[in-house]
Protein backbone atom coordinates (compact mmCIF):
# COMPACT_ATOMS: atom_id res chain seq x y z
CA UNK A 1 0.00 0.00 0.00
CA UNK A 2 1.25 3.47 -0.88
CA UNK A 3 0.42 4.84 2.59
CA UNK A 4 2.29 2.11 4.49
CA UNK A 5 5.74 3.15 5.73
CA UNK A 6 8.62 1.20 4.27
CA UNK A 7 11.62 -0.14 6.14
CA UNK A 8 13.62 2.83 4.85
CA UNK A 9 10.95 5.17 6.23
CA UNK A 10 11.28 3.54 9.65
CA UNK A 11 15.06 3.69 9.58
CA UNK A 12 14.86 7.41 8.84
CA UNK A 13 12.28 7.97 11.59
CA UNK A 14 14.62 6.61 14.29
CA UNK A 15 17.83 8.04 12.86
CA UNK A 16 19.73 11.18 13.82
CA UNK A 17 18.56 12.67 10.52
CA UNK A 18 14.96 12.14 11.65
CA UNK A 19 15.41 14.02 14.93
CA UNK A 20 13.69 17.17 13.69
CA UNK A 21 10.78 15.15 12.36
CA UNK A 22 10.36 13.38 15.72
CA UNK A 23 10.31 16.75 17.49
CA UNK A 24 7.67 17.99 15.08
CA UNK A 25 5.55 14.88 15.68
CA UNK A 26 5.77 15.41 19.43
CA UNK A 27 4.68 19.03 18.96
CA UNK A 28 1.74 17.91 16.81
CA UNK A 29 0.58 15.28 19.30
CA UNK A 30 0.62 17.74 22.20
CA UNK A 31 -0.77 20.79 20.42
CA UNK A 32 -4.31 22.02 19.91
CA UNK A 33 -3.17 23.01 16.42
CA UNK A 34 -2.09 19.47 15.49
CA UNK A 35 -3.92 19.40 12.14
CA UNK A 36 -1.91 22.31 10.75
CA UNK A 37 1.37 20.92 12.08
CA UNK A 38 0.69 17.53 10.48
CA UNK A 39 -0.16 19.18 7.16
CA UNK A 40 3.14 21.08 7.32
CA UNK A 41 5.03 17.87 8.12
CA UNK A 42 3.46 16.14 5.12
CA UNK A 43 4.68 18.99 2.95
CA UNK A 44 8.22 18.93 4.38
CA UNK A 45 8.83 15.15 4.55
CA UNK A 46 7.70 12.12 2.54
CA UNK A 47 4.38 10.80 3.81
CA UNK A 48 5.85 7.40 4.72
CA UNK A 49 8.46 8.98 6.98
CA UNK A 50 5.80 11.07 8.71
CA UNK A 51 3.61 8.00 9.25
CA UNK A 52 6.53 6.00 10.67
CA UNK A 53 7.49 8.82 13.03
CA UNK A 54 3.91 9.22 14.24
CA UNK A 55 3.56 5.46 14.76
CA UNK A 56 6.83 5.43 16.68
CA UNK A 57 5.64 8.28 18.91
CA UNK A 58 2.35 6.49 19.64
CA UNK A 59 4.12 3.25 20.54
CA UNK A 60 6.61 4.96 22.83
CA UNK A 61 3.83 6.95 24.46
CA UNK A 62 2.10 3.72 25.54
CA UNK A 63 5.21 1.59 26.08
CA UNK A 64 5.78 2.60 29.69
CA UNK A 65 3.57 -0.12 31.18
CA UNK A 66 5.20 -2.94 29.22
CA UNK A 67 8.75 -1.64 28.93
CA UNK A 68 9.31 1.01 31.62
CA UNK A 69 13.08 0.59 31.32
CA UNK A 70 13.24 1.28 27.59
CA UNK A 71 12.72 4.89 26.52
CA UNK A 72 14.04 4.30 23.00
CA UNK A 73 11.94 1.28 22.08
CA UNK A 74 11.48 0.92 18.32
CA UNK A 75 7.95 -0.28 17.64
CA UNK A 76 4.64 0.44 16.03
CA UNK A 77 1.50 0.47 18.16
CA UNK A 78 0.16 -2.88 16.92
CA UNK A 79 3.53 -4.53 17.43
CA UNK A 80 3.64 -3.13 20.96
CA UNK A 81 0.18 -4.51 21.74
CA UNK A 82 1.19 -8.00 20.60
CA UNK A 83 4.49 -8.08 22.52
CA UNK A 84 4.97 -9.70 25.92
CA UNK A 85 5.73 -7.21 28.68
CA UNK A 86 9.23 -7.23 30.11
CA UNK A 87 8.04 -8.82 33.37
CA UNK A 88 6.34 -11.70 31.57
CA UNK A 89 9.21 -12.10 29.10
CA UNK A 90 11.71 -12.19 32.00
CA UNK A 91 9.61 -14.85 33.72
CA UNK A 92 9.52 -17.02 30.60
CA UNK A 93 13.22 -16.49 29.87
CA UNK A 94 14.19 -18.18 33.15
CA UNK A 95 13.15 -21.55 31.75
CA UNK A 96 15.25 -21.03 28.64
CA UNK A 97 18.20 -19.98 30.78
CA UNK A 98 18.05 -23.27 32.69
CA UNK A 99 18.41 -25.14 29.39
CA UNK A 100 21.14 -22.72 28.32
CA UNK A 101 21.05 -23.35 24.58
CA UNK A 102 20.57 -21.07 21.53
CA UNK A 103 16.96 -20.09 20.87
CA UNK A 104 14.91 -19.53 17.74
CA UNK A 105 12.34 -16.79 18.46
CA UNK A 106 9.80 -17.43 15.71
CA UNK A 107 7.33 -14.66 14.81
CA UNK A 108 9.57 -12.44 16.92
CA UNK A 109 7.65 -9.23 16.23
CA UNK A 110 9.24 -6.17 17.81
CA UNK A 111 11.30 -8.41 20.10
CA UNK A 112 9.35 -8.34 23.38
CA UNK A 113 10.48 -11.85 24.32
CA UNK A 114 13.78 -11.70 22.43
CA UNK A 115 14.95 -8.77 24.56
CA UNK A 116 14.75 -10.89 27.71
CA UNK A 117 16.12 -14.04 26.07
CA UNK A 118 19.07 -12.24 24.47
CA UNK A 119 20.39 -10.93 27.77
CA UNK A 120 21.91 -14.34 28.51
CA UNK A 121 21.32 -16.53 25.44
CA UNK A 122 22.19 -16.67 21.75
CA UNK A 123 18.91 -15.74 20.04
CA UNK A 124 17.90 -15.74 16.38
CA UNK A 125 14.70 -13.86 15.68
CA UNK A 126 12.60 -14.85 12.68
CA UNK A 127 9.72 -12.86 11.18
CA UNK A 128 8.36 -12.65 7.67
CA UNK A 129 7.81 -8.90 8.06
CA UNK A 130 11.08 -7.07 7.28
CA UNK A 131 10.09 -4.11 9.46
CA UNK A 132 9.29 -6.22 12.51
CA UNK A 133 12.44 -8.32 12.06
CA UNK A 134 14.47 -5.09 11.97
CA UNK A 135 12.68 -3.78 15.06
CA UNK A 136 13.53 -6.98 16.92
CA UNK A 137 17.17 -6.73 15.83
CA UNK A 138 17.39 -3.14 17.07
CA UNK A 139 15.55 -3.72 20.35
CA UNK A 140 17.09 -7.05 21.33
CA UNK A 141 20.48 -6.75 19.69
CA UNK A 142 20.13 -10.24 18.23
CA UNK A 143 20.48 -11.70 14.76
CA UNK A 144 17.21 -11.71 12.82
CA UNK A 145 16.08 -13.47 9.67
CA UNK A 146 13.32 -12.29 7.33
CA UNK A 147 11.59 -15.56 6.54
CA UNK A 148 8.35 -17.51 6.77
CA UNK A 149 8.89 -19.35 10.07
CA UNK A 150 7.57 -22.56 8.51
CA UNK A 151 10.78 -22.73 6.49
CA UNK A 152 12.91 -22.95 9.66
CA UNK A 153 14.17 -26.40 10.63
CA UNK A 154 13.15 -26.69 14.28
CA UNK A 155 14.12 -30.32 14.77
CA UNK A 156 15.96 -30.69 18.09
CA UNK A 157 16.01 -26.89 18.51
CA UNK A 158 14.94 -24.74 21.46
CA UNK A 159 12.07 -22.59 20.21
CA UNK A 160 9.88 -19.71 21.28
CA UNK A 161 6.91 -19.29 18.93
CA UNK A 162 4.44 -16.40 19.04
CA UNK A 163 1.89 -17.00 16.27
CA UNK A 164 -0.21 -14.02 15.25
CA UNK A 165 -3.67 -13.85 16.79
CA UNK A 166 -4.91 -11.13 14.46
CA UNK A 167 -6.36 -11.09 10.98
CA UNK A 168 -4.79 -8.94 8.26
CA UNK A 169 -7.41 -6.33 9.14
CA UNK A 170 -6.24 -6.30 12.77
CA UNK A 171 -9.18 -8.18 14.30
CA UNK A 172 -8.28 -10.52 17.16
CA UNK A 173 -8.95 -14.23 16.64
CA UNK A 174 -9.56 -16.83 19.33
CA UNK A 175 -9.60 -20.20 17.60
CA UNK A 176 -6.25 -21.98 17.27
CA UNK A 177 -7.25 -22.76 13.70
CA UNK A 178 -7.16 -19.04 12.90
CA UNK A 179 -3.67 -18.39 14.29
CA UNK A 180 -0.91 -17.61 11.79
CA UNK A 181 0.99 -19.86 11.39
CA UNK A 182 -1.79 -22.25 12.28
CA UNK A 183 -2.37 -25.38 14.28
CA UNK A 184 -0.38 -27.67 11.95
CA UNK A 185 2.84 -25.73 12.44
CA UNK A 186 2.28 -25.32 16.17
CA UNK A 187 1.80 -29.09 16.46
CA UNK A 188 4.94 -29.63 14.35
CA UNK A 189 7.00 -27.44 16.68
CA UNK A 190 5.58 -29.14 19.77
CA UNK A 191 6.43 -32.59 18.37
CA UNK A 192 9.86 -31.99 16.87
CA UNK A 193 11.59 -29.22 18.83
CA UNK A 194 13.75 -30.34 21.74
CA UNK A 195 12.00 -27.74 23.83
CA UNK A 196 9.29 -25.27 22.86
CA UNK A 197 7.31 -22.41 24.33
CA UNK A 198 4.28 -21.54 22.20
CA UNK A 199 2.53 -18.33 23.18
CA UNK A 200 -1.27 -18.64 23.07
CA UNK A 201 -4.22 -16.42 23.85
CA UNK A 202 -5.53 -16.38 27.44
CA UNK A 203 -8.82 -17.92 26.33
CA UNK A 204 -7.31 -21.18 25.09
CA UNK A 205 -8.63 -24.33 26.71
CA UNK A 206 -6.47 -27.34 27.51
CA UNK A 207 -8.92 -29.56 25.64
CA UNK A 208 -8.40 -27.52 22.45
CA UNK A 209 -4.78 -28.60 22.06
CA UNK A 210 -5.15 -32.30 21.10
CA UNK A 211 -1.39 -32.91 21.25
CA UNK A 212 0.14 -36.38 21.19
CA UNK A 213 3.20 -35.27 23.20
CA UNK A 214 3.44 -34.43 26.92
CA UNK A 215 3.00 -30.73 27.62
CA UNK A 216 2.47 -28.20 30.36
CA UNK A 217 0.04 -25.33 29.91
CA UNK A 218 0.74 -22.16 31.86
CA UNK A 219 -1.70 -19.28 32.31
CA UNK A 220 -0.12 -15.95 33.20
CA UNK A 221 -1.92 -13.01 34.78
CA UNK A 222 -0.49 -9.52 34.97
CA UNK A 223 -1.89 -6.94 37.38
CA UNK A 224 -5.06 -8.98 37.84
CA UNK A 225 -5.81 -9.87 34.21
CA UNK A 226 -4.97 -13.14 32.44
CA UNK A 227 -2.98 -11.97 29.43
CA UNK A 228 -1.45 -15.08 27.86
CA UNK A 229 -1.09 -18.82 28.01
CA UNK A 230 2.13 -20.67 27.20
CA UNK A 231 2.35 -24.22 25.91
CA UNK A 232 5.61 -25.74 27.19
CA UNK A 233 7.01 -28.95 25.70
CA UNK A 234 10.13 -31.06 25.85
CA UNK A 235 13.09 -29.67 27.77
CA UNK A 236 11.13 -26.53 28.69
CA UNK A 237 8.18 -28.29 30.32
CA UNK A 238 8.71 -28.42 34.08
CA UNK A 239 5.49 -30.29 34.89
CA UNK A 240 4.30 -32.30 31.84
CA UNK A 241 0.66 -33.30 32.14
CA UNK A 242 -0.15 -30.48 34.55
CA UNK A 243 -1.34 -26.90 34.40
CA UNK A 244 0.44 -23.92 35.95
CA UNK A 245 -0.93 -20.53 36.95
CA UNK A 246 1.55 -17.68 37.40
CA UNK A 247 0.89 -14.25 38.87
CA UNK A 248 2.93 -11.32 37.55
CA UNK A 249 4.61 -9.18 38.82
CA UNK A 250 5.09 -11.08 42.10
CA UNK A 251 5.96 -14.33 40.31
CA UNK A 252 3.87 -16.57 42.57
CA UNK A 253 2.72 -19.76 40.88
CA UNK A 254 0.68 -22.88 41.40
CA UNK A 255 1.05 -26.11 39.45
CA UNK A 256 -1.51 -28.86 39.72
CA UNK A 257 -4.10 -31.16 38.24
CA UNK A 258 -7.07 -29.24 36.79
CA UNK A 259 -9.38 -32.23 37.27
CA UNK A 260 -9.29 -31.97 41.07
CA UNK A 261 -12.73 -30.95 42.25
CA UNK A 262 -13.16 -28.03 44.64
CA UNK A 263 -14.87 -29.19 47.85
CA UNK A 264 -18.14 -27.41 48.57
CA UNK A 265 -18.97 -25.79 51.89
CA UNK A 266 -22.45 -27.36 51.67
CA UNK A 267 -24.68 -26.04 54.48
CA UNK A 268 -21.91 -25.18 56.94
CA UNK A 269 -21.39 -21.56 58.02
CA UNK A 270 -18.80 -19.44 56.29
CA UNK A 271 -15.29 -19.61 57.70
CA UNK A 272 -13.39 -16.58 58.97
CA UNK A 273 -12.09 -15.58 55.54
CA UNK A 274 -13.46 -15.03 52.05
CA UNK A 275 -10.75 -15.99 49.56
CA UNK A 276 -10.57 -14.73 45.99
CA UNK A 277 -8.07 -16.66 43.87
CA UNK A 278 -6.05 -14.82 41.25
CA UNK A 279 -7.73 -14.95 37.81
CA UNK A 280 -4.87 -17.13 36.50
CA UNK A 281 -5.78 -19.79 39.10
CA UNK A 282 -9.40 -19.74 38.00
CA UNK A 283 -8.54 -19.74 34.29
CA UNK A 284 -6.21 -22.71 34.80
CA UNK A 285 -9.03 -24.52 36.66
CA UNK A 286 -6.81 -24.94 39.68
CA UNK A 287 -9.27 -23.88 42.37
CA UNK A 288 -9.48 -27.55 43.42
CA UNK A 289 -5.71 -27.86 43.64
CA UNK A 290 -5.50 -24.62 45.64
CA UNK A 291 -8.28 -25.77 47.97
CA UNK A 292 -6.71 -29.18 48.49
CA UNK A 293 -3.39 -27.67 49.57
CA UNK A 294 -4.76 -24.96 51.84
CA UNK A 295 -7.97 -26.39 53.34
CA UNK A 296 -10.32 -24.15 51.35
CA UNK A 297 -13.96 -24.68 50.44
CA UNK A 298 -16.00 -23.27 47.57
CA UNK A 299 -18.90 -21.33 48.99
CA UNK A 300 -21.42 -22.08 46.24
CA UNK A 301 -21.18 -24.20 43.06
CA UNK A 302 -19.64 -22.21 40.21
CA UNK A 303 -19.25 -19.03 42.26
CA UNK A 304 -15.46 -19.22 42.29
CA UNK A 305 -15.19 -17.74 45.80
CA UNK A 306 -13.63 -19.75 48.60
CA UNK A 307 -13.70 -19.67 52.37
CA UNK A 308 -11.09 -20.69 54.93
CA UNK A 309 -9.90 -20.22 58.49
CA UNK A 310 -6.29 -19.51 57.52
CA UNK A 311 -4.87 -17.47 54.66
CA UNK A 312 -3.47 -19.18 51.56
CA UNK A 313 -0.30 -17.66 50.05
CA UNK A 314 -0.94 -13.99 49.30
CA UNK A 315 0.65 -14.24 45.85
CA UNK A 316 -1.98 -16.58 44.42
CA UNK A 317 -5.06 -15.32 46.26
CA UNK A 318 -6.43 -12.38 48.20
CA UNK A 319 -8.07 -12.95 51.57
CA UNK A 320 -10.76 -10.87 53.26
CA UNK A 321 -11.77 -11.02 56.91
CA UNK A 322 -15.51 -11.69 57.15
CA UNK A 323 -17.14 -9.09 59.41
CA UNK A 324 -20.85 -9.62 58.71
CA UNK A 325 -23.20 -11.38 56.33
CA UNK A 326 -26.74 -10.24 55.53
CA UNK A 327 -29.32 -10.30 52.72
CA UNK A 328 -28.52 -7.73 50.04
CA UNK A 329 -30.65 -4.68 50.67
CA UNK A 330 -28.94 -1.44 49.72
CA UNK A 331 -30.40 0.67 52.53
CA UNK A 332 -29.74 -1.98 55.16
CA UNK A 333 -26.15 -2.57 54.11
CA UNK A 334 -25.50 1.16 53.81
CA UNK A 335 -26.90 1.77 57.27
CA UNK A 336 -24.71 -0.96 58.78
CA UNK A 337 -21.62 0.48 57.09
CA UNK A 338 -22.36 4.01 58.34
CA UNK A 339 -22.83 2.65 61.87
CA UNK A 340 -19.45 0.96 61.65
CA UNK A 341 -17.21 3.84 60.56
CA UNK A 342 -17.25 3.12 56.83
CA UNK A 343 -14.98 5.15 54.62
CA UNK A 344 -14.04 3.89 51.16
CA UNK A 345 -16.09 0.87 50.08
CA UNK A 346 -15.09 -1.54 47.31
CA UNK A 347 -17.88 -3.65 45.85
CA UNK A 348 -17.13 -7.04 44.30
CA UNK A 349 -19.62 -9.32 42.61
CA UNK A 350 -19.88 -12.50 40.60
CA UNK A 351 -22.27 -13.46 37.82
CA UNK A 352 -23.51 -9.88 37.40
CA UNK A 353 -25.55 -10.05 40.58
CA UNK A 354 -25.32 -6.24 40.71
CA UNK A 355 -23.63 -3.43 38.84
CA UNK A 356 -20.80 -2.60 41.25
CA UNK A 357 -19.73 0.71 39.70
CA UNK A 358 -22.37 3.04 41.19
CA UNK A 359 -22.39 1.17 44.50
CA UNK A 360 -18.82 2.14 45.44
CA UNK A 361 -19.93 5.72 46.01
CA UNK A 362 -23.41 4.93 47.31
CA UNK A 363 -22.13 2.69 50.11
CA UNK A 364 -19.10 4.79 51.06
CA UNK A 365 -19.19 6.88 54.19
CA UNK A 366 -17.27 9.62 56.00
CA UNK A 367 -15.50 7.25 58.40
CA UNK A 368 -12.00 5.86 58.55
CA UNK A 369 -12.52 2.14 57.89
CA UNK A 370 -12.25 0.72 54.40
CA UNK A 371 -14.55 -2.18 53.60
CA UNK A 372 -14.87 -4.69 50.79
CA UNK A 373 -18.45 -5.82 50.19
CA UNK A 374 -19.12 -8.97 48.17
CA UNK A 375 -22.61 -9.02 46.67
CA UNK A 376 -23.45 -12.41 45.18
CA UNK A 377 -26.38 -14.53 44.20
CA UNK A 378 -26.86 -17.81 46.08
CA UNK A 379 -29.69 -19.59 44.34
CA UNK A 380 -32.62 -17.19 44.35
CA UNK A 381 -31.20 -14.93 47.05
CA UNK A 382 -28.69 -12.11 46.91
CA UNK A 383 -26.42 -11.76 49.91
CA UNK A 384 -23.84 -9.22 51.04
CA UNK A 385 -20.64 -10.26 52.79
CA UNK A 386 -19.02 -7.33 54.50
CA UNK A 387 -15.26 -7.78 54.83
CA UNK A 388 -11.97 -6.02 55.33
CA UNK A 389 -8.73 -6.88 53.58
CA UNK A 390 -6.89 -9.53 55.61
CA UNK A 391 -3.22 -9.10 56.37
CA UNK A 392 -0.61 -11.36 57.82
Amino acid sequence: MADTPTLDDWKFAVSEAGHTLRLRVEAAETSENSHNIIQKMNADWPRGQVMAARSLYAARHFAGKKFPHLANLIADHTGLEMASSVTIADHKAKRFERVGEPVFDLCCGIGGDAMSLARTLDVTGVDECPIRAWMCEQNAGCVTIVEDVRAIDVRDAIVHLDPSRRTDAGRRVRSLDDYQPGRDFMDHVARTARGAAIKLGPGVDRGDLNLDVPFELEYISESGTVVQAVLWTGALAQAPGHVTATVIPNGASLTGDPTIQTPLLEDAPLRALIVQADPAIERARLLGALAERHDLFEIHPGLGLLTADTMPPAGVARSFQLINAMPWREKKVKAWLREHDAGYVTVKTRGKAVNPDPLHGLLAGPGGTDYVVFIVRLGQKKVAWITTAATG
Side-chain angles (χ1 to χ4, degrees):
M1 293 175 60
D3 287 343
T4 301
T6 65
L7 178 55
D8 285 340
D9 291 331
W10 271 98
K11 288 182 176 180
F12 176 84
V14 303
S15 70
E16 185 62 32
H19 178 69
T20 301
L21 174 57
R22 293 196 300 275
L23 290 177
R24 195 77 65 85
V25 167
E26 182 177 1
E29 298 297 337
T30 57
S31 170
E32 296 180 359
N33 195 29
S34 61
H35 179 72
N36 290 339
I37 298 175
I38 292 169
Q39 282 190 322
K40 184 69 166 58
M41 281 193 295
N42 286 329
D44 292 342
W45 284 277
R47 183 174 177 81
Q49 292 179 0
V50 175
M51 293 182 68
R54 295 185 68 192
S55 184
L56 177 68
Y57 177 88
R60 287 179 173 176
H61 182 72
F62 290 102
K65 292 184 80 172
K66 283 192 170 184
F67 304 103
H69 66 298
L70 199 59
N72 294 320
L73 180 75
I74 299 175
D76 61 300
H77 194 262
T78 300
L80 175 68
E81 284 186 329
M82 294 190 295
S84 297
S85 71
V86 64
T87 48
I88 292 179
D90 283 351
H91 162 73
K92 291 158 65 178
K94 291 175 183 175
R95 294 206 191 196
F96 289 87
E97 290 167 3
R98 294 187 191 109
V99 176
E101 296 183 16
V103 180
F104 277 118
D105 185 13
L106 305 183
C107 305
C108 59
I110 68 167
D113 284 285
M115 283 187 277
S116 293
L117 292 168
R119 281 202 288 270
T120 57
L121 299 169
D122 182 6
V123 178
T124 300
V126 184
D127 204 293
E128 65 179 352
C129 173
I131 295 174
R132 293 267 168 77
W134 169 77
M135 288 176 174
C136 177
E137 181 181 62
Q138 299 301 305
N139 291 325
C142 65
V143 173
T144 59
I145 300 171
V146 180
E147 182 64 87
D148 185 329
V149 296
R150 289 168 289 195
I152 302 298
D153 185 358
V154 298
R155 289 175 296 178
D156 297 323
I158 301 298
V159 176
H160 179 271
L161 170 63
D162 183 5
S164 174
R165 303 194 304 275
R166 292 175 184 260
T167 65
D168 291 340
R171 180 178 59 84
R172 293 181 185 272
V173 299
R174 285 169 170 71
S175 170
L176 291 174
D177 296 314
D178 295 326
Y179 284 28
Q180 290 298 327
R183 185 189 291 268
D184 288 347
F185 184 70
M186 289 188 284
D187 290 352
H188 170 68
V189 171
R191 288 194 313 270
T192 61
R194 200 172 82 74
I198 303 176
K199 181 177 165 183
L200 306 171
V204 70
D205 206 65
R206 193 165 179 262
D208 295 337
L209 297 173
N210 297 322
L211 288 174
D212 56 5
V213 296
F215 66 89
E216 174 190 357
L217 186 61
E218 179 183 26
Y219 291 91
I220 303 174
S221 70
E222 186 169 28
S223 302
T225 301
V226 185
V227 293
Q228 67 177 259
V230 184
L231 171 66
W232 300 99
T233 66
L236 294 171
Q238 295 177 345
H242 288 76
V243 177
T244 296
T246 299
V247 182
I248 298 296
N250 64 45
S253 67
L254 175 71
T255 298
D257 180 352
T259 66
I260 296 175
Q261 297 297 306
T262 312
L264 282 172
L265 188 63
E266 303 293 353
D267 295 324
L270 290 172
R271 305 290 181 90
L273 300 169
I274 304 294
V275 177
Q276 184 179 33
D278 185 86
I281 303 285
E282 288 198 67
R283 187 68 196 87
R285 298 183 179 174
L286 291 178
L287 284 179
L290 181 69
E292 183 179 73
R293 295 180 197 184
H294 300 287
D295 195 27
L296 304 168
F297 293 86
E298 188 169 21
I299 298 171
H300 188 76
L303 190 63
L305 292 173
L306 309 168
T307 189
D309 287 318
T310 57
M311 291 176 59
V316 295
R318 296 183 63 196
S319 298
F320 302 86
Q321 188 74 44
L322 181 63
I323 307 300
N324 200 358
M326 62 183 71
W328 166 239
R329 299 286 185 273
E330 183 183 321
K331 289 183 178 179
K332 182 178 180 181
V333 172
K334 183 174 182 178
W336 187 96
L337 289 167
R338 291 295 177 95
E339 290 170 5
H340 292 81
D341 191 43
Y344 187 78
V345 175
T346 300
V347 176
K348 293 177 175 285
T349 189
R350 287 295 174 101
K352 299 180 180 179
V354 294
N355 178 5
D357 293 337
L359 292 174
H360 299 298
L362 290 172
L363 297 180
T369 304
D370 293 342
Y371 287 98
V372 179
V373 179
F374 289 84
I375 303 172
V376 299
R377 189 187 301 276
L378 301 180
Q380 298 300 312
K381 299 181 296 183
K382 291 182 183 179
V383 298
W385 298 322
I386 301 173
T387 73
T388 56
T391 59

